[in-house]
Amino acid sequence: MADGQADDVPAKHPFQQKLTDIIESDASAIETDAQQAQGANQNANHSPQHRASPESFLLLFRSLTEPAVLTDGKRIIDSNESILSLSGYSREELTGETVSKIVKRGRLCRKDGSMAEVSMKEVPVGLVSVVLFTDEAERKKHEQAYSRLELLEKNLPDPVVSIDKHGKIRSWNASALNFFGIGDLEGQNIKSLLKGGKMAGKIKAAMTDRQIQRIDAVRPKVGFADSEVEIDVMPSDDGAVCLIRDISEKRSLMRQIDEAEEQYEQLVDNVTDIICIIDKRGNFKFTNRQFEKQLGYKPDESPDLPQIVHPEDLAQVLRRLTECENSGKGFQDLEFRLQNARKKYLYYSASGVPTKDRSVITGFSVTMRDITAKKKNEDETTAARTKLEQENKQLDKLNRMKTEFVSMVSHDLKTPLTNIQGYSSLMRNKVLGPNNQKQQEASEVIYKESLRLTKLINDILDLSKLDTGAMILYKQSFKLNQLEEKCSFKSVAERKGLTVIWNTPDSLGEVYGDPERISQVLSNLVSNAIKFTDRGSVTVNAFSKDKNHVQVDVIDTGAGIPKREQDKIFERFQRGTASKVMRKEGSGLGLAIAKDIMELHGSDIRVKSEVGRGSTFSFTLPKAPKQEMGQEDVIERHIENMSKSGPTTEQIMEQIVDKKK
């Protein structure tokens, strides 16, 4: 191509300019061009009348790092190594083919049948053209890698600055601003911001030798102790990049480690156990002072482990050490006897772990505790344990007999007590005829005490079921407001001038549990709240705790419970201070039974209380599942409840009316 033709081209691709210059230069200029900078005016002083040899042109074409083919405008006449590697074809297979055969719709057809997304750029060079390919996948990887690198630099917690050949800062990340505490670092000399011996020389050496240099320096702080820093100086094309790490904490930690090692050595020598390291042959490589103190062997005169282990114990000791070596896991509670320097055997319990050198097990670190006194008393301990076990079995038997007896007596008392309760109710309501004053008072007392005794018997029966695991829950879906009438005790509250508020809206939906037992829990909590509240109100408040559970709070404005008693009130037969001071009746079983019932429901009862300000008892219930309890189960529960209870007051009245007829 003539010089005039070259000047008519307004803008050339860099490779076009380079290859054109190569063709228009002589052989000596080719060598000069390879050594000079990669500018657009590389051959300005070369004479156009000289021509490079075809061999020189092909050599430089094939040295291109980008995948490329050389065409005569129609067919491929040569290929470089990069395109051969990318396509999988040989140079002979590509020569003579058209570019369109190997590139279809922007994709390079590889020899193995796979496709590679590429972009092409055709660069005319004289009578031939160089077609440059860009592997888009690789390009995207490089872009992503560069983006990650740039993001890493920006977000790197350590300060990073770029300096020129004179040490002046040109760019920096956000951490560098925070580290130096300067609003603008541009033009600042790093050698004035950081102080360190031979710092300037090492920065220069990094740039000259093109090798990373590590420098220890300090950052002066006005009014504070200097910070120790470590700088990695990494050479770049026209300067260096400095990665700065504050190692003050690291150095402080190293000092602490040294102190800890010293303390560890003191600890090892002053513990009451023997600490030793043995190799795989049983030779003691290290022993603490207790080794000599307990066994009487001096460190440089101690025999090997197999020599002092009791012959009867040696096999199990060697087996455990072998297992430890093969598995790489430690062992514990290995008991054996060791012979001391006085030829007396002592019992030891050992724990150990394998020691390693470059991931290869070389021995064992073992801790041994003298258990001779323990073994000496072992027979006495075993005998005492056996005796206690026998006594415990006897106590369990007596406890079961007691539970069965109480349950039997309670059942036997329940029916006549129901009759007493029914007839006393008839007397106090004057169904059997008029009463004089004493008869009326007597009937009131009989009725009241029969109610209290009935509740006590029911509580004892429930405890018996809970102790023997006989209490069965019959769970079903129900609404909490269905329990309001049964559990509110509004008439009792009104007699005390209290208000019972029941806040269980229909919008809560149904909960899932045993309604009879939940009613029992609520009745206990509400009746207790009324009992210990003289002014104000008692509130039953239910709300959705989360999407699967409903929380129920029973809130009163009563006397409150001291903090020290709040954990004890759920224990059996426990009555709080308020019960004793206010002389309130009760067996101390209600809350214990309520807590056990809620535990059977997978819940618990919690209390928050403050003396003089009232109490809040809370429990949770699961929301009803989609599938409810079958109707047969509900009927079965109803029949069981009827069979467990005696005749009701209404039934007794019907019997009396029938007799009068």
Side-chain angles (χ1 to χ4, degrees):
M1 182 179 294
D3 287 347
Q5 290 173 317
D7 293 336
D8 292 337
V9 180
K12 294 184 178 180
H13 187 280
F15 291 103
Q16 179 183 10
Q17 178 68 53
K18 186 176 182 72
L19 294 173
T20 301
D21 290 342
I22 290 171
I23 291 175
E24 293 177 351
S25 65
D26 55 18
S28 61
I30 294 173
E31 183 176 348
T32 303
D33 177 63
Q35 298 173 352
Q36 291 179 345
Q38 300 176 1
N41 52 0
Q42 300 165 3
N43 299 300
N45 298 323
H46 297 322
S47 174
Q49 65 267 22
H50 298 291
R51 300 292 182 187
S53 66
E55 290 80 5
S56 299
F57 174 77
L58 288 177
L59 179 63
L60 291 173
F61 163 74
R62 291 181 180 179
S63 68
L64 291 174
T65 57
E66 293 85 349
V69 296
L70 191 64
T71 72
D72 59 3
K74 293 182 179 181
R75 298 186 179 277
I76 298 173
I77 58 177
D78 200 3
S79 311
N80 70 352
E81 295 298 328
S82 297
I83 190 65
L84 298 179
S85 175
L86 180 62
S87 67
Y89 289 104
S90 65
R91 186 172 284 109
E92 291 76 13
E93 289 173 326
L94 289 179
T95 302
E97 297 291 346
T98 61
V99 175
S100 60
K101 181 176 180 180
I102 62 171
V103 179
K104 297 180 180 180
R105 297 181 180 179
R107 293 186 177 183
L108 177 66
C109 304
R110 292 193 177 106
K111 185 176 181 180
D112 61 5
S114 62
M115 308 290 283
E117 185 179 354
V118 296
S119 59
M120 297 187 301
K121 177 72 175 180
E122 185 173 356
V123 183
V125 183
L127 298 177
V128 296
S129 295
V130 177
V131 180
L132 299 170
F133 296 86
T134 301
D135 187 339
E136 289 297 313
E138 287 297 319
R139 182 184 64 80
K140 290 176 181 178
K141 285 183 182 178
H142 288 308
E143 288 180 354
Q144 291 172 356
Y146 180 78
S147 298
R148 287 194 294 269
L149 182 61
E150 190 176 41
L151 183 64
L152 176 64
E153 181 181 349
K154 290 180 180 179
N155 295 281
L156 198 67
D158 294 324
V160 179
V161 297
S162 173
I163 61 175
D164 63 16
K165 294 180 179 180
H166 304 290
K168 292 184 178 181
I169 297 175
R170 297 177 299 186
S171 62
W172 55 90
N173 64 354
S175 299
L177 289 177
N178 296 330
F179 178 76
F180 287 109
I182 300 174
D184 188 2
L185 291 173
E186 186 171 2
Q188 296 281 347
N189 197 307
I190 193 170
K191 289 176 282 188
S192 64
L193 297 175
L194 300 173
K195 305 296 182 182
K198 301 180 181 179
M199 183 173 174
K202 287 196 174 185
I203 291 177
K204 183 178 180 181
M207 297 180 184
T208 304
D209 301 338
R210 311 297 294 173
Q211 292 183 349
I212 297 176
Q213 294 283 340
R214 176 162 290 180
I215 307 170
D216 287 335
V218 295
R219 177 170 67 95
K221 286 185 178 180
V222 178
F224 299 94
D226 294 344
S227 294
E228 298 177 86
V229 298
E230 188 176 72
I231 311 168
D232 283 337
V233 183
M234 296 167 281
S236 61
D237 291 338
D238 54 352
V241 175
C242 299
L243 175 62
I244 305 167
R245 287 183 292 272
D246 190 333
I247 59 172
S248 299
E249 292 185 3
K250 177 182 175 182
R251 293 285 172 83
S252 175
L253 182 61
M254 292 300 296
R255 288 189 287 269
Q256 293 176 24
I257 291 173
D258 292 338
E259 294 173 1
E261 287 180 350
E262 183 178 351
Q263 293 173 0
Y264 174 75
E265 291 177 0
Q266 295 176 355
L267 178 65
V268 167
D269 282 335
N270 289 283
V271 293
T272 57
D273 295 338
I274 293 176
I275 298 176
C276 58
I277 296 177
I278 57 176
D279 62 18
K280 292 193 288 186
R281 294 184 177 181
N283 301 312
F284 288 98
K285 296 299 182 182
F286 166 81
T287 58
N288 66 344
R289 292 177 183 174
Q290 288 296 324
F291 183 83
E292 180 181 357
K293 184 176 180 180
Q294 295 184 25
L295 296 176
Y297 299 114
K298 294 186 179 299
D300 55 345
E301 299 175 358
S302 64
D304 298 338
L305 180 66
Q307 294 176 323
I308 58 175
V309 174
H310 194 286
E312 295 178 1
D313 302 333
L314 183 59
Q316 70 156 338
V317 171
L318 295 178
R319 183 174 63 254
R320 291 289 291 275
L321 292 177
T322 302
E323 291 173 356
C324 179
E325 179 183 2
N326 293 337
S327 66
K329 297 179 180 179
F331 60 88
Q332 293 182 339
D333 303 326
L334 173 60
E335 295 185 1
F336 53 88
R337 287 162 286 181
L338 290 179
Q339 188 182 59
N340 63 14
R342 297 180 180 180
K343 307 302 180 182
K344 180 182 178 181
Y345 281 103
L346 304 176
Y347 279 91
Y348 281 89
S349 176
S351 301
V353 293
T355 58
K356 298 180 180 180
D357 183 9
R358 298 179 183 178
S359 302
V360 177
I361 295 177
T362 57
F364 311 93
S365 175
V366 182
T367 301
M368 297 186 291
R369 176 165 295 179
D370 187 347
I371 58 170
T372 305
K374 173 187 171 184
K375 284 291 183 180
K376 186 176 181 180
N377 298 324
E378 194 172 59
D379 291 340
E380 297 177 7
T381 304
T382 302
R385 185 184 300 111
T386 302
K387 183 179 178 180
L388 286 174
E389 289 175 353
Q390 292 174 349
E391 291 177 351
N392 189 49
K393 289 179 180 179
Q394 186 67 21
L395 288 173
D396 287 341
K397 182 179 179 180
L398 292 174
N399 187 53
R400 286 195 302 271
M401 293 174 62
K402 180 264 299 180
T403 301
E404 292 171 359
F405 174 76
V406 169
S407 178
M408 179 183 66
V409 172
S410 298
H411 274 293
D412 290 343
L413 289 174
K414 193 169 184 181
T415 299
L417 188 59
T418 303
N419 292 331
I420 294 171
Q421 181 182 339
Y423 280 108
S424 63
S425 176
L426 293 176
M427 291 177 63
R428 66 191 287 269
N429 291 317
K430 302 176 183 179
V431 176
L432 302 178
N435 299 325
N436 59 35
Q437 183 177 354
K438 289 185 178 181
Q439 290 174 333
Q440 186 66 33
E441 290 175 355
S443 64
E444 293 286 350
V445 171
I446 294 170
Y447 182 74
K448 179 181 178 182
E449 293 303 317
S450 67
L451 289 177
R452 189 167 69 87
L453 192 54
T454 299
K455 184 178 185 306
L456 178 59
I457 290 174
N458 287 334
D459 286 347
I460 292 173
L461 287 172
D462 283 340
L463 282 178
S464 176
K465 292 178 183 178
L466 288 166
D467 287 341
T468 59
M471 181 174 284
I472 300 174
L473 298 181
Y474 296 87
K475 294 184 179 181
Q476 63 185 32
S477 300
F478 65 95
K479 291 187 177 181
L480 286 170
N481 56 16
Q482 294 173 350
L483 308 180
E484 178 177 357
E485 182 177 354
K486 185 176 182 179
C487 305
S488 291
F489 300 98
K490 290 187 177 180
S491 60
V492 179
E494 289 172 358
R495 286 197 295 270
K496 293 188 68 175
L498 302 176
T499 303
V500 177
I501 302 170
W502 197 275
N503 182 23
T504 55
D506 280 336
S507 58
L508 281 176
E510 294 183 323
V511 294
Y512 189 68
D514 187 330
E516 291 291 333
R517 293 302 180 185
I518 299 302
S519 173
Q520 183 178 349
V521 172
L522 277 173
S523 295
N524 180 272
L525 296 179
V526 173
S527 62
N528 280 352
I530 294 173
K531 184 190 299 183
F532 295 105
T533 302
D534 292 330
R535 293 187 303 274
S537 62
V538 174
T539 302
V540 179
N541 186 41
F543 59 92
S544 290
K545 183 179 181 181
D546 52 50
K547 65 179 182 179
N548 296 319
H549 294 88
V550 170
Q551 179 167 321
V552 182
D553 294 340
V554 178
I555 309 165
D556 66 59
T557 58
I561 306 168
K563 185 73 175 178
R564 65 179 181 277
E565 296 181 3
Q566 290 179 16
D567 292 334
K568 297 180 179 180
I569 59 174
F570 294 104
E571 298 176 4
R572 296 179 182 183
F573 304 106
Q574 289 292 330
R575 300 177 66 204
T577 303
S579 298
K580 300 172 184 176
V581 173
M582 300 173 70
R583 297 182 180 179
K584 301 295 184 180
E585 296 178 351
S587 61
L589 295 175
L591 285 176
I593 293 172
K595 182 178 178 67
D596 288 344
I597 290 174
M598 292 315 303
E599 287 179 352
L600 288 176
H601 280 81
S603 182
D604 195 5
I605 297 180
R606 304 170 301 281
V607 61
K608 291 182 180 180
S609 184
E610 186 176 346
V611 175
R613 302 192 66 177
S615 305
T616 299
F617 288 81
S618 305
F619 62 87
T620 58
L621 285 170
K623 293 183 179 180
K626 293 181 180 180
Q627 293 183 352
E628 298 184 358
M629 182 178 174
Q631 185 66 22
E632 294 180 359
D633 295 331
V634 178
I635 294 173
E636 181 183 348
R637 172 59 193 270
H638 178 69
I639 293 173
E640 187 204 24
N641 288 339
M642 290 295 294
S643 65
K644 289 191 293 185
S645 61
T648 64
T649 302
E650 289 76 14
Q651 292 170 333
I652 294 172
M653 293 178 66
E654 289 176 359
Q655 294 173 6
I656 294 172
V657 172
D658 290 340
K659 288 180 181 180
K660 287 184 177 182
K661 288 181 180 181

